[in-house]
């Protein structure tokens, strides 16, 4: 069942690298970062170049050690799953619509300005009426909240602001009673520095907990390596009490766990079991591809660092034991003891969804392929920015990139592969604002994005607010930001930038402002003072208003989810893209067991003529005017009748 790839060395060619799953992903990633087209690697002359020649010619750019690192990375990779054809193995999570709640910003029930579990319980009707099958909550565990819960101090306790264990039990039952599942966020690449394990490690680095983390001896003036933190500065901080360096890929207060220690892996599996016993249906696993670091923690290559913005990435984004640790966690943590029947609260294997920054299509297949028994789904991020751009750049996102990404990815999947579909989450600005901030297009564009997501092939993850066409905020003062990532980038130690504009395009706070439930002063989010301020208050974009408006984005989400629910072809059916080379037009057929649909989306703010189709079509949905040209961002869904 496995497609073998051979060991690579300096005698191998660029073509060999591109035929290798990680080689292909890494090359694509580099081209994407540079904003270059793939035509480059498709050139036969370039494909035939040997790596030794590349090293000689490019040595000056890529620096010492680049080729060794590359070969080591590639030769660690297991064989890819084959491209099987035939029917898709059904699983509830392939047919489900997921909805991500960022609890802090969803609904506050007690007036402290911070969203809480009771707030979610009070708004379950909204989620159920949308047609959601599974809820995902961003972290609700005990936490000092340096990174809003992504810094956990106790995996078996609820954050005091959010409520109690009784509240989460009630929320789990309430979801299950409605036929919905619920998953939590497992943040186990790191803990909070307030976690009992880290306190113990710090107190006695030579004791049993010392090896739970990456603590390194040394002197305060010499960093153990050149790795960078994602939240500015180096990935190491000196613990003066312990006389050790501690590794933290994220904030100083988020020390990385040492997964090479079997005791750590056992602890994590136990935490998972503990929550499965409480009825949880699975987890989204935070930055889970970072858990296996290359032995000896070698320096990152400067060339890679210049491309990826952070140094050290290649030493841990697809580490030597990643696949082994994930398979072990699936077996020892996610497999329910004694479970036989699938259903909310009792699936034999709870769903395992990995957040995997830097992972491309081929490595994604390696992590999720049916016969690999690792993750079920991954979140990669290559579609969230246009080639040559990063989240921090202020530019208009071209939806043709999303189309190309989806078309290309699909062509590389077999029937044993399944993918996630998402454009937003708590770490990214709102998609509507990235594509086209013109308020006249807000509703049409919101619907276009919904159609691409809900009628595409894969599992959609809706982020709270997407269903009411939420947009970015006009933050105008540095003091308005709450997120540690933005704040560190603004502070002198994090790069010296002064102005709001440095972080405005990319700040994660855009997606973290309160959910807009109604038109009251705090939008029905809180009776108190919200923990984060907001600017956006345009008429028509709250849940209450949209519920009453048949043409609203909210009602469009509902109707598409219902359409999906009623037609297996729109969930599990094959997908065939049409007119793939036409700019601004995105069209595809979905088909299963003799039933077929055609979806058409105008990706631009101009009217365009759709191509002619030979099939006879009955139009079920149209968000524009009459039938001929597609109006800006118009969506049409047709049933094929012959
Ligand atoms: C993930 C989370 C993000 C968090 C980071 C560190 O990327 O989605 O919110 O800050 O990991 O846990
Ligand atoms: Mg509250």
């Amino acid at each position: 069942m496995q497609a073998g790839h051979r060991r690579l060395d300096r005698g191998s060619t660029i073509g060999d690298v591109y035929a290798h799953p990680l080689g292909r992903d890494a090359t694509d990633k580099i081209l994407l970062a540079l904003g270059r087209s793939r035509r480059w690697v498709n050139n036969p002359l370039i494909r035939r170049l040997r790596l030794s020649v590349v090293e000689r010619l490019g040595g000056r750019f890529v620096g010492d050690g680049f080729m060794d690192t590359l070969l080591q990375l590639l030769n660690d990779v297991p064989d890819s799953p084959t491209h099987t054809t035939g029917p898709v193995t059904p699983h509830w999570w392939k047919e489900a619509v997921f909805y991500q709640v960022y609890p802090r910003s969803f609904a506050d029930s007690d007036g402290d300005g911070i969203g809480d579990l009771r707030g979610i319980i009070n708004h379950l009707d909204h989620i159920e009426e949308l047609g959601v099958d599974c809820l995902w909550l961003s972290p609700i565990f005990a936490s000092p909240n340096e990174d809003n819960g992504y810094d956990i101090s106790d995996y078996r306790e609820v954050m005091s602001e959010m409520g109690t264990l009784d509240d989460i039990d009630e929320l789990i039952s309430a979801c299950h009673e409605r036929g919905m599942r619920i998953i939590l966020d497992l943040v186990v690449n790191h803990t909070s520095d307030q976690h009992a394990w880290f306190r113990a490690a710090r107190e006695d680095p030579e004791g049993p907990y010392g090896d739970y983390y990456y603590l390194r001896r040394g002197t305060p003036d010499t960093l153990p390596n050149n790795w960078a933190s994602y939240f500015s500065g180096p990935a190491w901080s000196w613990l003066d009490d312990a006389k050790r360096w501690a590794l933290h890929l994220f904030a100083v207060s988020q020390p990385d766990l040492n997964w090479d220690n079997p005791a750590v892996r056992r602890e994590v599996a136990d935490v998972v079991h503990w929550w499965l016993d409480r009825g949880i249906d699975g987890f989204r696993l935070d930055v889970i591809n970072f858990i296996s670091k290359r032995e000896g923690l070698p320096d990152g290559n400067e060339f890679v660092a210049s491309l990826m913005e952070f140094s050290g990435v290649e030493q841990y984004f697809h580490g030597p034991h990643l696949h082994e640790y994930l398979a072990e966690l699936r077996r020892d943590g996610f497999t329910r003891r004694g479970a036989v029947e699938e259903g909310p609260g009792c699936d034999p294997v709870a769903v395992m969804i990995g957040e995997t920054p830097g992972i491309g299509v081929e490595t994604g297949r390696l992590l999720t392929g049916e016969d690999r028994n690792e993750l079920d789904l991954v979140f990669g991020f290559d579609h969230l920015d246009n080639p040559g751009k990063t989240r921090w750049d202020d530019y208009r996102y071209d939806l043709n990139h999303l189309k190309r990404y989806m078309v290309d990815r699909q062509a590389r999947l077999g029937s044993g592969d399944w993918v996630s579909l998402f454009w937003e989450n708590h770490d990214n600005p709102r998609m509507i604002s990235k594509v086209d901030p013109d308020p006249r297009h807000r509703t049409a564009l919101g619907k276009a994005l919904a159609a691409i997501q809900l009628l595409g092939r894969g599992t959609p993850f809706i982020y709270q607010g997407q269903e009411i066409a939420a947009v970015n905020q006009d933050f105008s003062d540095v003091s308005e930001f709450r997120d540690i990532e933005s704040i560190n980038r603004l502070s002198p130690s994090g790069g010296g930038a002064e102005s709001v504009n440095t972080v405005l395009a990319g700040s994660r706070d855009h997606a973290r402002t309160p959910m807009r439930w109604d038109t009251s002063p705090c939008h029905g989010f809180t009776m108190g003072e919200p923990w984060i301020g907001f600017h956006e208050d345009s008429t028509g974009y709250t849940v209450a208003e949209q519920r009453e408006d048949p043409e609203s984005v909210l009602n469009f989400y509902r109707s598409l989810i219902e359409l999906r629910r009623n037609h297996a072809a729109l969930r599990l059916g094959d997908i065939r893209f049409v007119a793939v080379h036409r700019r601004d037009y995105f069209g595809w057929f979905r088909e299963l067991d003799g039933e077929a649909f055609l979806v058409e989306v105008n990706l631009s703010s101009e009217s365009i003529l759709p191509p002619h189709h030979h099939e006879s079509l009955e139009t079920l949905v149209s968000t524009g005017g009459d039938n001929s040209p597609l109006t800006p961002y118009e969506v049409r869904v047709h049933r094929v009748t012959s």
Side-chain angles (χ1 to χ4, degrees), residues 107-116 161-162:
D108 172 28
S109 69
D110 60 0
D112 66 351
I114 297 173
D116 43 50
E161 297 91 322
M162 292 282 163

Side-chain angles (χ1 to χ4, degrees), residues 147 150 187 190 231 250 254 284 286-287 355 357 426-427 508 512:
D147 188 18
Y150 283 90
V187 188
H190 44 268
F231 293 160
F250 293 89
Q254 291 169 300
R284 172 261 194 194
D286 191 66
V287 292
E355 188 217 13
H426 62 294
D427 293 331
R508 310 194 294 181
R512 299 178 178 190

